[in-house]
Amino acid sequence: MKLIARLILVMILTYFLSFYMPWWIVFVVTFLTGFIIHGSGINVFIGTFLGAGLVWMLYAWYLDYNTASILSQKVIQLFPFDDPMMLIITSGLVGGLCGGFGGLSGNSFRQLFLKKKQKSFYS
């Protein structure tokens, strides 16, 4: 349940804040999401990776579709592949990695403030 909540929160905040803030707002959003909605490390990474990656990939596809691939054809010349869809997937992967590591950092920062349980002799 926390995974879905984290995913939806990251998607909504990243989408709306990216209109007014720079591209790195995805780090701030996922850091705060990882800090507030805690979980295991892999769970936080997957939720924030998917949330940020899907937003970046869907928005790149939307821009590519509405501009009839004009910008994609210009940018694709910089990369070793010829398909504009690979550019969209690469954009989603970069956004996902930024989001995943931001969320993992927020979760790890939260761990600094938690009190460690002392192990019992009998456990």
Side-chain angles (χ1 to χ4, degrees), residues 70-89:
I70 295 170
L71 182 62
S72 298
Q73 294 301 326
K74 302 268 185 206
V75 174
I76 203 81
Q77 296 171 358
L78 301 172
F79 293 99
F81 40 81
D82 295 328
D83 188 20
M85 190 53 93
M86 288 300 294
L87 188 66
I88 294 170
I89 292 171

Side-chain angles (χ1 to χ4, degrees), residues 11-118:
M11 287 179 77
I12 291 171
L13 289 177
T14 301
Y15 178 74
F16 286 115
L17 288 177
S18 65
F19 289 123
Y20 306 107
M21 303 288 197
W23 68 269
W24 47 264
I25 193 66
V26 69
F27 286 114
V28 177
V29 167
T30 55
F31 182 89
L32 291 175
T33 305
F35 184 79
I36 293 170
I37 306 174
H38 62 87
S40 66
I42 191 71
N43 191 358
V44 172
F45 182 82
I46 289 173
T48 52
F49 177 87
L50 289 176
L54 284 174
V55 168
W56 278 32
M57 191 167 65
L58 290 174
Y59 193 65
W61 175 79
Y62 173 76
L63 290 177
D64 185 58
Y65 181 74
N66 280 344
T67 60
S69 299
I70 295 170
L71 182 62
S72 298
Q73 294 301 326
K74 302 268 185 206
V75 174
I76 203 81
Q77 296 171 358
L78 301 172
F79 293 99
F81 40 81
D82 295 328
D83 188 20
M85 190 53 93
M86 288 300 294
L87 188 66
I88 294 170
I89 292 171
T90 304
S91 174
L93 186 64
V94 168
L97 287 174
C98 292
F101 287 126
L104 196 58
S105 298
N107 191 41
S108 297
F109 189 68
R110 179 187 174 87
Q111 297 296 325
L112 290 174
F113 300 108
L114 295 178
K115 193 173 185 177
K116 303 277 187 202
K117 282 187 175 180
Q118 190 173 11

